[in-house]
Amino acid sequence: MTLPSDDRPLRRHRPFVLLCAEQTAGSVGRQVTALALTLLAVTELHAGPFAASVILALTYLPGAVLSPFAGLLVDRVCLRRLLVAATALQALVVGSVPLARAAGHVTWPQVYAVAAVSGTLTFTLSVGLQAALPRVVGPRRLLAANSVLTGARTAGQIGGPAFGGVLVGLAGTGPALAVGGAAYAVEAVLLFALPAALNTPAGHRDAARSGPASALRAGLDVVRTDRRLYRMVLAGAGLNLGAGAVAALYVLYATDELHLTPWQLGTTYAAFSAATVLGVVLAGRFGEGLGVWRATRICGLLAGAAIFLVPAAALGGAFPLLLAYQLGYGLAATVWSVSMTTLQQLVAPSGLRGRVAGLTQAVLLVTVPVGALGGGMLAAALGDVTVLTASAAVALVSAATLWAPVRAERAAGEEGGGRGPSDGSPALTDQSQ
């Protein structure tokens, strides 16, 4: 069930504005929490590299394992209540650390539990919001809405670490974690202000009546039978596998082998942030002009090709080549993400959006740490350049599979030149198939 039609511009669409504010608050909360929790473990619990990596793994591992079940939950329960409950619980979980610290009883089990529970709730929220957005704005404005929400998240991702660092420097890790918990509380209030109609079932009787295994298979069937979605998930897994390996080796490779100075390394990361912002600005226009399926195919290929610039930097011109990599990959990957999410939301039936989003998220998440661990292990035996080149090849070949012929039904109204369905939705496919 979609909320009542609202033709106002997105900037004046109250439920959507609430979602934008929620995305910014949640993103800042996550960045501040991640930084402060790690620094607390290092400075007060004397964590070594392994313990710090365990905290990071616990933040992401639940998303890879539990996202399909989170999707099933999203399709079965009242959506707004779930979103509010998850963010409120996250505020309490994160807020427990500064309380325990004030009492002098912060322990490793608590830090690990906070990282794992907070990560689980974060990815549950991600699935729930992907299912909620089509109901909030309708199919016609999904592409633009996903672009704006990505921009709201990006603002928090860019500013959050700096804000968290200042908080830790001025007040310490405990107050910084309290601010992170407060950001989640603000997020819960914003979600509570969403229309109560989101608590109306979205046609998910099958999920409510069938067993968990059968209900999950229904979501998997959507991914398997729509060839575009199936190809995107596999290509995304390959891209993340290659990019994960590159991310794991990047700092050591850039400093030890390419001899980049700290300011040069920092500049390459800043270039990625700038490219992400540019990608947010261009994603809507690119998708509207070419159709979200064609935009996904083009940007996947560009993202995979950009990774080759990293091993190529060993041949000379390291700094400009790594700048070009961060700019190219950041831009292409951002447009890819927006287009893929939009297509996924348009393809999935309303009562299955949670399960489709959860299954897709699980595949895309699990490949990043696998790529990072595999890349690190192989680099020790084969060398950085060899592994980086192989990682780039995996990413590019995976993205290239999107260009193989796909047999899929055309969206309604698409015969008029690939401009999209008659209701104004973004074009799903293009005329080249």
Side-chain angles (χ1 to χ4, degrees):
M1 174 181 175
T2 302
L3 301 185
S5 177
D6 188 341
D7 293 329
R8 289 176 296 176
L10 288 177
R11 66 180 181 276
R12 298 175 57 193
H13 189 288
R14 181 177 176 274
F16 179 71
V17 172
L18 289 170
L19 284 180
C20 288
E22 173 274 330
Q23 289 287 283
T24 302
S27 182
V28 170
R30 282 184 284 277
Q31 297 297 326
V32 171
T33 298
L35 177 63
L37 193 64
T38 303
L39 288 175
L40 181 145
V42 170
T43 59
E44 300 187 26
L45 298 179
H46 310 293
F50 177 76
S53 65
V54 169
I55 294 174
L56 182 62
L58 287 173
T59 302
Y60 285 93
L61 184 61
V65 176
L66 299 177
S67 285
F69 301 98
L72 177 58
L73 185 64
V74 164
D75 285 337
R76 280 184 160 175
V77 304
C78 297
L79 188 52
R80 190 186 72 166
R81 292 177 188 172
L82 173 64
L83 297 176
V84 172
T87 48
L89 180 58
Q90 200 159 24
L92 292 174
V93 168
V94 173
S96 71
V97 179
L99 289 177
R101 181 178 178 274
H105 295 296
V106 179
T107 62
W108 276 113
Q110 182 184 10
V111 170
Y112 286 151
V114 168
V117 174
S118 181
T120 300
L121 294 171
T122 292
F123 292 113
T124 300
L125 283 167
S126 176
V127 172
L129 290 168
Q130 286 187 53
L133 186 61
R135 299 177 62 185
V136 171
V137 302
R140 296 175 57 188
R141 297 189 287 185
L142 264 180
L143 182 61
N146 276 313
S147 299
V148 176
L149 288 183
T150 301
R153 283 194 301 274
T154 300
Q157 290 166 355
I158 293 174
F163 179 54
V166 171
L167 279 175
V168 171
L170 294 177
T173 55
L177 284 167
V179 170
Y184 290 127
V186 170
E187 188 180 10
V189 171
L190 292 169
L191 289 170
F192 184 76
L194 289 172
L198 280 175
N199 283 328
T200 303
H204 49 261
R205 294 180 180 177
D206 71 300
R209 295 178 179 178
S210 59
S214 177
L216 285 173
R217 279 197 300 271
L220 183 60
D221 287 342
V222 175
V223 178
R224 291 171 56 190
T225 56
D226 188 287
R227 304 308 295 176
R228 296 159 300 179
L229 186 55
Y230 180 72
R231 292 276 183 86
M232 285 194 308
V233 172
L234 292 182
L239 279 167
N240 281 357
L241 194 69
V246 171
L249 300 173
Y250 185 79
V251 173
L252 189 63
Y253 169 70
T255 54
D256 282 7
E257 293 198 27
L258 304 182
H259 308 295
L260 262 63
T261 62
W263 76 263
Q264 289 176 319
L265 182 63
T267 302
T268 67
Y269 281 115
F272 178 83
S273 298
T276 301
V277 174
L278 182 59
V280 168
V281 173
L282 296 178
R285 296 179 182 179
F286 200 50
E288 289 286 355
L290 297 175
V292 289
W293 172 233
R294 181 179 284 176
T296 302
R297 298 163 78 197
I298 291 174
C299 289
L301 205 60
L302 291 175
I307 297 177
F308 276 100
L309 294 173
V310 180
L315 301 177
F319 181 48
L321 281 177
L322 291 186
L323 275 178
Y325 156 69
Q326 296 282 23
L327 288 169
Y329 185 80
L331 176 60
T334 301
V335 179
W336 150 275
S337 177
V338 171
S339 300
M340 179 180 178
T341 301
T342 302
L343 179 56
Q344 171 191 299
Q345 291 166 329
L346 289 169
V347 165
S350 61
L352 290 164
R353 285 191 182 120
R355 279 164 281 175
V356 171
L359 289 163
T360 301
Q361 180 172 273
V363 173
L364 297 182
L365 282 175
V366 75
T367 48
V368 175
V370 169
L373 290 173
M377 293 172 61
L378 290 173
L382 304 176
D384 289 347
V385 174
T386 301
V387 173
L388 289 169
T389 303
S391 300
V394 168
L396 184 60
V397 170
S398 299
T401 61
L402 291 169
W403 291 86
V406 176
R407 292 182 180 180
E409 293 182 2
R410 297 181 185 276
E414 194 180 1
E415 292 82 357
R419 290 186 295 271
S422 57
D423 67 353
S425 305
L428 290 181
T429 58
D430 55 72
Q431 297 297 307
S432 65
Q433 302 190 103

